[in-house]
Amino acid sequence: MPYRKDLSLAWSTISGSKGGFVGSFVAIVAGSAVITACGMLLVSGLGTGVAPERYSGAAVVLGAEQSFWLDESAEVRYSERITLPADKVAAVAAVPGVQSAVGDVNVEVSVLTSGGDVLTGPDGFPVLGHGWSAAALGPFRVREGRAPSAPGEVVLDADLAARGDVSLDATVRLVVGSIPSSYRVVGIATAPGDGLDRQSAVFVTDGQATRLSGRPDRVDAIGVLAAPGVAPEQLAERIAAAVPGVVAHTGAGRGDVEFLDVGDARSLVVETAASFGGTMVLIVVFVVASTLALSVRQRRRELALLRAVGATPKQIHWMIGAEMTLVSSVGAMFGALPGVLLAFVMRGVFVVAGAMPPDFQLRVGLLPVLASLVLCMTSARLAGWLVARLVAKVSPVEALADAAVEPKQLGRVRLTIGILLIPLGLLLTLGNVAAPGDSAADTAGSAVLLFVVAVGCLGPLLLRGAIALFGSHLNRQSTAAGFLAQANARANWRRLSSATTPLAMGVALAAVQVFGASTMIAGARHQLEDGLRADHVLTASSGAGLSPEVVDAVRDVPGVAVATPLARMRVLLTFRSEDSTATKVFAAQGVAPERLSETMDLAVDQGDIAKLRGDAVALSRVVAQTVRTKVGATIELRLGDGTVVKPRVVAIYENGLGFGDVTLPNDLVVAHTTARVSTAVLIRSVDGTDPAALARALRGAVERYPLVQVGDREAFLAAPGSGGSGDWALNLLFQTVLLGYVAIAVVNTLVMATAARVREFASLKLIGASREQLHAMMNGEARIVVFSALLFGLQAAIPPLIGISLGLTKSPVPSISLTGLIAIVALTIALSWGAIRMATRYAMRPAPVGAIGGRE
C-alpha cells in the first residue's frame, strides 16, 4: 500500500510537470533501444549461426579448437583453419555408438570450363574440393555418372554444373593456388536438402584430395555418423571423453566447423555486444542522472516546500524513486521496437565490414526486451538515488534558501577534481607515463575521458571566462537583443553552462574518435605509399592466391630486378606485462628477404632485415615497444593456424601501420596459411626498363597460370585492406551509436534548460520586449553556447590527439580530416540552434499574464 501511494504521488508529479520528465524519458527510450539491439546481437551470437550444408547428414562434427583463450571468458579466433591429425579418424571410429567416422579436407579451387569461364559458388561463395568419402556426410547422391576412381576424375555438384553448362565427360580445369590441372567430369551429384547456398562442391578421389591439400597427415574436420538409436549429444560427450584434442559440435554448431566465418562472426558479435552493451548501461546511468539532476534543479522550489512542510529525506527518496520507476518502465517499453530495428541496422554494418556473413540470422525474442527493461529500470533507479540523496540531505531552511537564488560558486570538491584531472591527462598523453608501444596511443585515446570529466567539472567557470573574453564579440551591445543576451549570459552563466558543458563534452569525444581514426589511416597510407618501391604487382583473381611456381616464373623475365612474394596472416604475440602474461593480435606479413628494400622499404631502425630467414622475425617499433623487446631477443608467436614458434628478432622498423606490425619469412607464413599461397608478388624492374614492355613480358610469363593478373603499384595501393584496418566500419558503427546517444542527451539538456524559462520570457514580454527581440536574444545565447562548446571541446581533444599521433607515427601533428571537422561544427550548430529555437518557441507559447503566475 505505501508503495502504491508513492506511485500515485509520482504519477501526480509527472502529470503536473511533464516537461521536467521528458528529458529523462527520451534518454531512457534511446538507451533501451541501444541495449535491446545489443541484447539481440548477443543472443544471436550465442545461439544462432548458419545451418550446416555438407555436414547436414552427420550427427556430430569434430574440429580443432579454433580459438586461443585469453582467460575463461575471453577468446581470440585464429585467422586460419586449425586442422586435426589424420589418425584421430580411427580413434573416433572406435568410440561406442559411432557407425562411421570420415575425415574431410577442404581445398579451395577455381573451376575453369573448356571455354575459359571461371565458375564460382553461389553469391560469390567459394568452390571447395573434397575427397569422395566426405560425400556421405551430406549425403550427396550421384545423379548422373559415377564416383571418381582415378586422380584425373571429378564429380561436380548439380548447381555448379548447371551454372557452367557442364555435362558428363566434359573436361574442366581445377586451379589450386595458381596451378591448373585438367579433370574429366565423371559424375554430377545432388546436394542434400535444398542444395548449397554458401559454397559449391567438387569431389575427387580421397588420395587426390589429400595431395591437393598439401597436408597428407592432417584433416580439416571429422564427420561422425551415429549408430541407430544413439543421440547426437550423447555421442558427442562420449567422443570428447575418449578422444582428446577434438571439439565436438552438434545441431547448428556443426555449421561453425563447416564455415569458419560463422564461428568468427559469433565470437565477434558476442564480444562486442556484451562489452558495448555494458558500456551503454553505464552511460544510461550517467545521462539519466544528469538529466534528472537538471529536472530536480528546476523543481527545487517544489522540493524545498515539501521539505519545509515536513517531508522526510526517506519520503523524498521514495517519491523520486517512484517517478523513475514509472518513467523508466514506460520508456524502456517504447524503446523496444526501435531497438529491434537498430539491431538489424547494426547487423547490416557488420556485414558491410566483412565481420559477419550475409546469411547470419538475428534471433528476435522477448529476452533482450526484458533484459533491457530490467537494466533501464535499475539504471534509472540508481540515477534517481544519486540525485535524491543530494536533495534529501539538505535541511528545510537551506532548501528554501537554495530555491530562492541559484548558488554562484562551484563546490570545492568539484573544483579540485576538475583542476587535478588536467595535469593527470597531460601526463598520460604527453608525459611518457603510459606503457610504450600501442598502449601509448590507446592510453592517449582513453585520456580524453579525463579531459571530458574536467570540462564537466570546470564547465561553468570556463564559460564565465569565455563570456568575459568573447561575449562582446559574439553579441553586439548596441542592439537590445545583443544587450539582453550578454546580460543574461553574465548573470546566469551557471544555467547557461548546463547547456554548454555537455555539448563541449560531446565535441571532445567526437573529435578524438574522428581525428584519431584519420590520423591512423593517414599514417598507414603515407607509410604504404612511401614504402612501396615495386613497379608492378602480381595478384590473383577470385582470391586464389599465388603459388611459389609463379614467383619462379617471373624472376627470370628480362627486365625484372627483384620479385618479392608477399603473404598475410594474423598472429598472436604473447609477452610479459607487469606481473602477468598478455597476448595481443597483430597483422603479419611474410616476405622473402633477398633485396627486400628494393620492393618494400620498411624503414628499418635497428638490425638487418636481410637476416629474415628461418626462425627470425622483424617487428615494428610500436610492437617492439609494446612487448619490451629488442634486436637479438626471442619472442613467442602463435601463427594463424595455432602453431607456436619462438623466433629471434633481427630487425625493428617504423612502417608497421602500412605493411604490418610483424614480418616473417615468406615460406613460414605460406606453410601455415589455409590455402598455402602468397597474396601478391612485388616486382621491381631494372633501371631503364620500359614499363609497358615489362608488363607484356610478365603477362607472357604467367600465361600458363590463368588466374594471375599483372598490375601496377597503383592497383596494389587501391586494393581493399592496403594500409588500413578492416575494423574501421565497426568502430565507426559503435562510435556513431555512442555519440548519437550523447547527442540525444545534449539536446535533452538544451531543451529542458530553455523550456524552463517560461516566467523569464513572460516578464520580458510584459516590460515591452517583442517576440522578435526574444528570438534574437536566444540566438545570441546560442552563439555563446556553440562557440564555447567548440572552443572547450576542441581544446580538450588536442592533448589526446597529439598523444595518439606520437604513439602511432612519432609525429606530434595529428591528421585532421577537414570533412570530419566540418561535420562536427555543423552538427554542433544544428543540435544547439535547433534545440534552443524549438524550446524557445515552446516557452513563449503561454500568454505572459498567465505564465508569470504559473508553476515552474
Side-chain angles (χ1 to χ4, degrees):
M1 289 296 293
Y3 191 68
R4 246 185 187 175
K5 291 181 179 179
D6 290 326
L7 289 177
S8 177
L9 177 62
W11 180 250
S12 300
T13 58
I14 293 172
S15 301
S17 182
K18 298 184 183 69
F21 293 95
V22 168
S24 298
F25 178 79
V26 172
I28 292 170
V29 169
S32 172
V34 177
I35 294 172
T36 299
C38 290
M40 283 185 58
L41 290 172
L42 180 62
V43 170
S44 300
L46 290 173
T48 316
V50 174
E53 294 180 350
R54 288 186 303 101
Y55 296 154
S56 58
V60 181
V61 177
L62 307 174
E65 178 58 71
Q66 193 63 39
S67 300
F68 175 75
W69 290 89
L70 303 175
D71 52 43
E72 293 182 355
S73 59
E75 62 176 319
V76 178
R77 297 277 293 185
Y78 291 113
S79 60
E80 310 295 326
R81 181 181 287 277
I82 312 300
T83 57
L84 292 169
D87 57 13
K88 294 284 186 184
V89 179
V92 172
V95 174
V98 174
Q99 179 175 308
S100 63
V102 180
D104 182 34
V105 295
N106 299 297
V107 182
E108 186 165 351
V109 302
S110 298
V111 181
L112 276 66
T113 65
S114 57
D117 297 328
V118 180
L119 302 184
T120 63
D123 297 324
F125 283 109
V127 180
L128 300 175
H130 313 274
W132 177 249
S133 63
L137 302 176
F140 285 79
R141 310 290 185 191
V142 176
R143 188 184 71 188
E144 301 177 48
R146 58 175 176 81
S149 59
E153 298 178 344
V154 66
V155 172
L156 308 183
D157 80 67
D159 291 339
L160 179 65
R163 283 196 300 274
D165 194 23
V166 178
S167 58
L168 283 179
D169 293 325
T171 298
V172 296
R173 286 190 294 170
L174 302 186
V175 182
V176 179
S178 307
I179 311 302
S181 300
S182 295
Y183 290 79
R184 185 167 66 92
V185 179
V186 298
I188 295 176
T190 56
D194 297 328
L196 304 177
D197 296 325
R198 305 190 90 250
Q199 63 191 307
S200 289
V202 299
F203 296 94
V204 294
T205 63
D206 291 347
Q208 183 68 0
T210 301
R211 283 189 290 273
L212 292 177
S213 72
R215 299 182 179 91
D217 58 343
R218 312 290 294 186
V219 294
D220 291 342
I222 300 173
V224 180
L225 302 179
V230 179
E233 292 77 13
Q234 180 184 11
L235 184 57
E237 293 177 1
R238 291 181 188 174
I239 295 172
V243 183
V246 299
V247 180
H249 300 263
T250 60
R254 296 170 296 172
D256 290 3
V257 184
E258 186 172 354
F259 310 115
L260 288 185
D261 59 337
V262 175
D264 294 343
R266 283 158 58 97
S267 175
L268 178 64
V269 166
V270 169
E271 179 184 353
T272 54
S275 61
F276 186 68
T279 302
M280 281 306 304
V281 171
L282 297 177
I283 293 176
V284 168
V285 173
F286 174 77
V287 170
V288 173
S290 62
T291 308
L292 183 61
L294 178 60
S295 172
V296 168
R297 191 158 64 244
Q298 293 173 353
R299 295 165 57 199
R300 60 190 183 278
R301 292 182 180 178
E302 171 192 329
L303 296 174
L305 184 59
L306 287 174
R307 292 286 285 119
V309 298
T312 65
K314 184 177 181 180
Q315 288 174 321
I316 297 294
H317 266 291
W318 275 105
M319 184 187 73
I320 294 179
E323 291 170 353
M324 284 294 95
T325 298
L326 290 173
V327 172
S328 62
S329 59
V330 177
M333 296 301 292
F334 269 83
L337 181 58
V340 173
L341 299 177
L342 178 60
F344 280 94
V345 172
M346 294 172 73
R347 174 193 172 279
V349 176
F350 270 85
V351 172
V352 170
M356 180 184 289
D359 53 351
F360 191 94
Q361 299 299 315
L362 283 184
R363 177 178 291 184
V364 180
L366 286 177
L367 183 59
V369 176
L370 295 176
S372 174
L373 176 64
V374 171
L375 290 172
C376 285
M377 291 182 66
T378 303
S379 302
R381 286 300 300 262
L382 176 60
W385 177 80
L386 292 172
V387 173
R389 62 189 294 270
L390 298 176
V391 177
K393 70 180 182 181
V394 179
S395 69
V397 175
E398 291 176 339
L400 287 173
D402 284 345
V405 180
E406 277 196 348
K408 294 295 182 181
Q409 300 297 326
L410 295 181
R412 290 184 179 180
V413 174
R414 175 177 177 176
L415 191 62
T416 302
I417 292 175
I419 292 174
L420 291 179
L421 285 177
I422 294 176
L424 179 59
L426 291 174
L427 279 174
L428 289 178
T429 54
L430 308 176
N432 294 324
V433 174
D438 64 344
S439 297
D442 292 343
T443 302
S446 301
V448 68
L449 297 177
L450 297 179
F451 291 102
V452 164
V453 175
V455 169
C457 292
L458 303 177
L461 286 182
L462 294 174
L463 179 63
R464 193 176 187 181
I467 292 171
L469 290 174
F470 307 108
S472 59
H473 299 285
L474 297 172
N475 292 290
R476 289 186 299 168
Q477 299 294 298
S478 57
T479 64
F483 174 80
L484 284 174
Q486 183 69 1
N488 250 331
R490 286 178 173 172
N492 299 295
W493 54 272
R494 185 81 179 262
R495 180 189 64 196
L496 199 62
S497 72
S498 67
T500 306
T501 301
L503 196 60
M505 296 165 74
V507 169
L509 289 173
V512 170
Q513 296 301 326
V514 172
F515 302 142
S518 65
T519 298
M520 183 186 70
I521 293 172
R525 195 70 183 172
H526 175 75
Q527 291 182 5
L528 186 62
E529 289 178 349
D530 286 357
L532 184 64
R533 302 292 178 82
D535 305 307
H536 295 82
V537 179
L538 303 184
T539 56
S541 61
S542 305
L546 301 171
S547 300
E549 291 85 349
V550 176
V551 183
D552 296 334
V554 298
R555 276 179 174 154
D556 297 330
V557 172
V560 172
V562 186
T564 302
L566 170 67
R568 298 191 187 277
M569 68 163 46
R570 285 186 302 144
V571 298
L572 280 62
L573 202 162
T574 301
F575 57 96
R576 295 291 300 174
S577 178
E578 297 179 355
D579 297 331
S580 61
T581 299
T583 299
K584 289 192 173 184
V585 181
F586 295 104
Q589 63 175 358
V591 297
E594 291 81 12
R595 301 172 67 181
L596 177 64
S597 60
E598 297 183 39
T599 56
M600 176 189 299
D601 180 15
L602 295 176
V604 176
D605 292 332
Q606 303 173 38
D608 185 2
I609 198 71
K611 296 180 181 179
L612 192 69
R613 293 181 175 86
D615 58 343
V617 65
L619 302 176
S620 70
R621 170 188 58 85
V622 172
V623 173
Q625 292 177 345
T626 299
V627 303
R628 294 181 172 88
T629 192
K630 58 185 179 180
V631 173
T634 300
I635 61 173
E636 181 179 322
L637 279 179
R638 282 175 171 81
L639 302 178
D641 65 350
T643 301
V644 179
V645 296
K646 295 185 177 181
R648 181 173 53 87
V649 179
V650 297
I652 295 175
Y653 55 91
E654 183 62 34
N655 290 346
L657 279 178
F659 292 96
D661 284 311
V662 178
T663 299
L664 293 160
N666 178 262
D667 54 355
L668 177 65
V669 173
V670 168
H672 293 278
T673 57
T674 301
R676 302 171 70 85
V677 291
S678 293
T679 307
V681 177
L682 309 180
I683 297 174
R684 178 67 179 267
S685 61
V686 176
D687 291 342
T689 303
D690 179 28
L694 180 57
R696 288 193 297 270
L698 290 172
R699 292 189 184 96
V702 299
E703 187 176 3
R704 69 190 117 160
Y705 307 112
L707 300 182
V708 176
Q709 299 174 330
V710 179
D712 56 17
R713 68 188 308 271
E714 298 303 323
F716 182 77
L717 291 173
S722 294
S725 171
D727 296 332
W728 68 270
L730 292 184
N731 291 332
L732 180 62
L733 165 68
F734 290 118
Q735 296 305 329
T736 300
V737 173
L738 177 61
L739 293 175
Y741 188 73
V742 172
I744 291 173
V746 169
V747 170
N748 266 342
T749 304
L750 289 169
V751 170
M752 291 176 63
T754 306
R757 298 169 66 179
V758 174
R759 287 181 176 179
E760 176 190 337
F761 293 157
S763 299
L764 290 172
K765 289 168 74 175
L766 287 175
I767 61 175
S770 66
R771 295 178 64 88
E772 290 74 17
Q773 288 176 322
L774 291 181
H775 277 296
M777 178 191 75
M778 294 307 297
N779 286 338
E781 290 189 20
R783 282 192 290 272
I784 294 175
V785 169
V786 171
F787 175 81
S788 302
L790 290 171
L791 177 66
F792 304 152
L794 293 176
Q795 283 184 333
I798 290 175
L801 288 173
I802 293 176
I804 291 172
S805 184
L806 284 171
L808 293 177
T809 66
K810 294 173 59 174
S811 168
V813 182
S815 176
I816 304 299
S817 165
L818 181 59
T819 303
L821 180 60
I822 293 174
I824 290 174
V825 173
L827 188 60
T828 303
I829 295 173
L831 287 176
S832 55
W833 233 295
I836 290 174
R837 285 186 66 85
M838 179 179 65
T840 301
R841 288 186 178 182
Y842 168 81
M844 289 197 299
R845 280 170 54 190
V849 175
I852 199 70
R855 60 176 294 166
E856 291 180 282

